[in-house]
Amino acid sequence: MKVVDLYAENGFSEEKFRTFLVHDSPYFKILNFNFKAGQELPIHSHDIEGQVCIAVLEGEGEFLGEKGASIPAKTGSVLIANIAEPHGIRAKTDMRVLVTIAPPI
Amino acid sequence: MKVVDLYAENGFSEEKFRTFLVHDSPYFKILNFNFKAGQELPIHSHDIEGQVCIAVLEGEGEFLGEKGASIPAKTGSVLIANIAEPHGIRAKTDMRVLVTIAPPI
């Protein structure tokens, strides 16, 4: 059992969104991404089995999907997608998200 | 791909913490629990393989562990435990948490 304080462990950078590996196990991989306003995780996909969950802890922005789809995202918004489906995030304000991938990749 | 707004989907109840099933798939099960101040998920465990992640979206309280362990929890705190390890939550203020279980149970 371990407890991690994401606010203490991960900050923000003007250069690129900051990634913090929270946990990696045979069951899932958990990451925290912090975006400054305007930063993004470009839309992408991996041709493998599994699903990804992206939960917004703080801030506002949009989830990106295929064919230019944009879905508003804010604190408490949760995206679930197959890893093989195109997905991404763009931050409108500074934004903290928690990403869970199962099985881990 | 689906997007869920936890703040719109799940509220609070004076009687018992409120549970909302966000997602259930062969890869993971994702739940949102909302606790009023003072409510708790009593310490428990299941004798099975897998791990659980509990992320605090809002509020303050404590994570509960075996032998009376209590670890402060607040927005951005993340607990990772084997499902077989005793774990629980107690809310000091109103509290929203996201629970991910892999593989799903």
Side-chain angles (χ1 to χ4, degrees):
Chain A
M1 179 160 148
K2 72 174 177 185
V3 175
V4 177
D5 176 353
L6 300 183
Y7 281 60
E9 296 291 344
N10 198 14
F12 293 86
S13 162
E14 294 292 344
E15 288 179 28
K16 188 178 185 290
F17 69 88
R18 281 192 55 178
T19 300
F20 172 67
L21 177 63
V22 180
H23 186 68
D24 197 5
S25 78
Y27 306 107
F28 45 26
K29 185 171 194 173
I30 302 174
L31 300 148
N32 162 227
F33 294 160
N34 287 350
F35 300 88
K36 290 287 291 178
Q39 291 177 341
E40 72 176 63
L41 173 68
I43 194 160
H44 66 288
S45 63
H46 305 274
D47 189 18
I48 53 171
E49 280 282 311
Q51 293 184 325
V52 57
C53 170
I54 304 177
V56 180
L57 300 175
E58 185 182 283
E60 276 181 59
E62 52 194 323
F63 295 126
L64 308 175
E66 56 192 341
K67 296 177 187 167
S70 163
I71 301 163
K74 60 180 171 31
T75 304
S77 296
V78 176
L79 167 95
I80 315 272
N82 293 325
I83 299 171
E85 283 177 286
H87 56 279
I89 313 169
R90 186 179 297 133
K92 195 168 127 187
T93 68
D94 290 2
M95 201 178 180
R96 294 176 191 263
V97 308
L98 191 68
V99 178
T100 304
I101 302 160
I105 60 172
Chain B
M1 178 161 150
K2 72 175 177 185
V3 174
V4 177
D5 176 352
L6 300 182
Y7 281 59
E9 295 291 344
N10 198 14
F12 294 85
S13 162
E14 295 292 344
E15 290 180 25
K16 189 179 186 289
F17 70 87
R18 281 191 56 177
T19 299
F20 171 68
L21 177 62
V22 180
H23 186 69
D24 197 5
S25 78
Y27 306 107
F28 46 27
K29 186 174 193 170
I30 302 175
L31 300 148
N32 161 227
F33 295 159
N34 287 350
F35 301 88
K36 289 288 291 177
Q39 292 178 341
E40 73 176 61
L41 173 69
I43 193 159
H44 67 288
S45 61
H46 305 274
D47 189 18
I48 52 171
E49 281 281 312
Q51 293 184 323
V52 58
C53 170
I54 304 177
V56 180
L57 299 176
E58 184 183 285
E60 276 181 57
E62 52 195 323
F63 294 126
L64 309 174
E66 57 193 341
K67 295 176 186 166
S70 163
I71 301 163
K74 59 179 170 35
T75 304
S77 296
V78 176
L79 167 94
I80 313 273
N82 293 325
I83 298 170
E85 284 177 285
H87 55 279
I89 314 169
R90 186 180 297 131
K92 197 167 127 189
T93 67
D94 290 1
M95 199 178 182
R96 295 176 190 263
V97 307
L98 192 67
V99 177
T100 304
I101 302 160
I105 61 171

